[in-house]
Amino acid sequence: MTIRLVIADDQALVRGALAALLGLEADIEVVAELGDGAGVAAAVVEHSADVAMLDVEMPGLDGISAAAAVRRAAPSCRVLMVTTFGRPGYLRRAMQAGASGFVVKDTPARQLAEAVRRVHSGLRVVDPTLAEESLMSGDSPLTDREAEVLKAASDGGTVADIAKAAMLSEGTVRNYLSAAMAKTGGRTRAESVRLAHEHGWLL
Amino acid sequence: MTIRLVIADDQALVRGALAALLGLEADIEVVAELGDGAGVAAAVVEHSADVAMLDVEMPGLDGISAAAAVRRAAPSCRVLMVTTFGRPGYLRRAMQAGASGFVVKDTPARQLAEAVRRVHSGLRVVDPTLAEESLMSGDSPLTDREAEVLKAASDGGTVADIAKAAMLSEGTVRNYLSAAMAKTGGRTRAESVRLAHEHGWLL
DNA sequence: CTAGTCCCATGACATTTGTCATGCCGAACG
DNA sequence: CGTTCGGCATGACAAATGTCATGGGACTAG
């Protein structure tokens, strides 16, 4: 029996290449390819897919949310996350969202088909390097509001911009940014944004 | 006669998938795969490659520099740039470095083999969407030093950090940042970094 | 030669940012 | 019920940032 696979990745070229690569496997059949996370759950249901392979970074609905949607819509379908960046926090978030596997795009190509098979058979697949780092960095120390404000600051706006966007006073925004900077270890706002991003603590 | 192709991309999975995909074409033979730009020129010479397919974003030697190195080492070898981000400035820089083609990773997979063939036959291949944007945004308005300082600021350090890294006085750094902010249209340092980056004006 | 441009630098200034102390409110937890 | 914790806010203050005027040296183009 073949494994029915749905692939979602925002880069068409990567998506196509992955589909072609995995389609060569005798026991894997690619039944759908998506460019964003929004339609993944529906596609999984429509094609009775066994495994959904999702990129974390996608426009619209991100991969983590898409994973949760898939689990809700089709509990029997396993989710394998594939991501470009090995942000430690992503792993934890993905697992909490119900993903069964998590590999980075640096994974040798031939191991990918094997990962799909393991996930399909109910095993968990986690990139070993990533698992180690994940234990290191642990949960995000940021509160919801701190993360929200820091995220709003990530495009370089002023305190006033952020305050307006988040419906907070400027003083409060400064407080949150200050707290976030202390927790992330950054000495400036911009550095904290970068650090939090690298840890996978934002989105 | 087959086209001898060298592929360089820092993501192993993408690299492998591309190689597998293009290797299926009867007239294309993948003779080498690299994970960074440093060894590309040598690999091209060693394998007498006809076309080099390079990612712009790579650790160590970036794709643009690698393209120039290839042109110097083996003028008969054409260069096709493949990039994740369609930064308009990249196109111009790549062309100046001697690249013959430039496509984004959103390109449908089957068009890629065609792009390789066109480049090999001496034609230029440019993503049409990108070409339009490129004309829009034009050359970087930033002076060399301004770009250098802005790039040094991109990881979120303070003025003092940047000054030390660039061997400049703090006042001078502030001047360049101020000028860069005016030219990019950003209202804060962080915003200018983001804008310049999106335009492809930073490396 | 002269004018223009870029690089480098200084100093002064207003604004913004980051820090700290402090307070109120509501929800969670013992 | 009291305590703790997070969200929200204010005000004050030191430090960093962004702006502006200014000037000298090097290099290029007219």
Side-chain angles (χ1 to χ4, degrees):
Chain A
M1 158 146 180
T2 65
I3 301 174
R4 302 173 63 79
L5 181 67
V6 168
I7 296 179
D9 189 309
D10 60 325
Q11 295 171 27
L13 190 55
V14 175
R15 187 168 70 240
L18 287 175
L21 197 65
L22 291 169
L24 293 178
E25 303 291 324
D27 56 344
I28 296 177
E29 181 186 0
V30 179
V31 294
E33 296 179 37
L34 289 301
D36 61 68
V40 171
V44 164
V45 171
E46 183 189 348
H47 296 93
S48 313
D50 300 308
V51 179
M53 203 168 116
L54 310 177
D55 191 342
V56 175
E57 295 89 7
M58 282 191 293
L61 194 67
D62 66 282
I64 307 265
S65 308
V70 167
R71 296 300 297 170
R72 269 198 307 277
S76 70
C77 176
R78 314 284 179 174
V79 173
L80 175 63
M81 305 297 302
V82 183
T83 183
T84 304
F85 308 102
R87 313 228 189 282
Y90 282 177
L91 173 56
R92 180 177 300 262
R93 308 271 292 275
M95 288 309 182
Q96 285 172 349
S100 300
F102 195 101
V103 296
V104 296
K105 284 188 180 165
D106 268 340
T107 305
R110 63 186 51 177
Q111 286 185 18
L112 196 62
E114 192 53 34
V116 170
R117 292 190 192 96
R118 292 176 103 95
V119 166
H120 177 243
S121 68
L123 296 174
R124 288 187 174 275
V125 177
V126 173
D127 195 273
T129 350
L130 217 56
E132 188 179 337
E133 285 182 44
S134 179
L135 295 178
M136 286 285 298
S137 73
D139 255 338
S140 169
L142 301 173
T143 69
D144 288 351
R145 286 294 188 281
E146 284 162 1
E148 177 187 348
V149 168
L150 200 56
K151 187 158 150 39
S154 62
D155 52 359
T158 67
V159 170
D161 295 337
I162 304 167
K164 196 161 52 179
M167 299 275 291
L168 295 176
S169 86
E170 295 193 13
T172 306
V173 169
R174 275 204 290 271
N175 272 348
Y176 286 152
L177 286 176
S178 189
M181 286 163 59
K183 290 180 181 177
T184 55
R187 288 165 309 153
T188 68
R189 181 188 311 187
E191 193 176 13
S192 282
V193 167
R194 183 174 59 80
L195 291 169
H197 208 261
E198 285 171 0
H199 283 305
W201 293 338
L202 297 182
L203 172 51
Chain B
M1 161 156 180
T2 65
I3 302 173
R4 302 174 63 77
L5 181 67
V6 168
I7 297 180
D9 189 308
D10 60 325
Q11 295 171 29
L13 189 56
V14 174
R15 187 169 71 240
L18 288 175
L21 196 66
L22 291 169
L24 292 179
E25 303 290 323
D27 56 345
I28 297 178
E29 181 186 0
V30 178
V31 295
E33 298 179 36
L34 288 302
D36 61 67
V40 171
V44 164
V45 171
E46 184 188 348
H47 296 92
S48 313
D50 301 308
V51 179
M53 203 168 116
L54 310 178
D55 191 341
V56 174
E57 295 89 7
M58 282 191 294
L61 193 67
D62 66 282
I64 306 264
S65 308
V70 167
R71 296 299 296 168
R72 270 198 307 276
S76 70
C77 177
R78 315 282 180 175
V79 173
L80 174 63
M81 305 297 303
V82 183
T83 184
T84 305
F85 308 102
R87 312 230 188 280
Y90 283 176
L91 172 56
R92 180 178 301 261
R93 307 271 292 275
M95 288 310 182
Q96 284 173 350
S100 300
F102 195 101
V103 296
V104 296
K105 285 189 180 165
D106 268 340
T107 306
R110 60 185 53 177
Q111 285 185 20
L112 195 63
E114 192 53 34
V116 171
R117 292 190 193 96
R118 292 175 102 95
V119 166
H120 177 242
S121 68
L123 297 174
R124 288 187 174 275
V125 177
V126 173
D127 195 273
T129 350
L130 217 55
E132 188 179 339
E133 286 183 43
S134 180
L135 295 179
M136 285 285 298
S137 72
D139 256 337
S140 169
L142 300 174
T143 191
D144 287 351
R145 286 294 187 283
E146 285 161 1
E148 177 187 346
V149 169
L150 201 54
K151 187 159 151 38
S154 63
D155 52 359
T158 66
V159 169
D161 296 336
I162 304 166
K164 197 160 51 181
M167 299 275 291
L168 294 175
S169 85
E170 296 193 12
T172 306
V173 169
R174 276 203 288 272
N175 271 349
Y176 285 154
L177 287 175
S178 189
M181 286 163 58
K183 290 179 180 177
T184 56
R187 288 165 309 155
T188 68
R189 181 187 311 188
E191 193 176 12
S192 282
V193 167
R194 182 174 60 81
L195 291 169
H197 208 261
E198 287 171 359
H199 283 306
W201 293 338
L202 299 181
L203 170 44

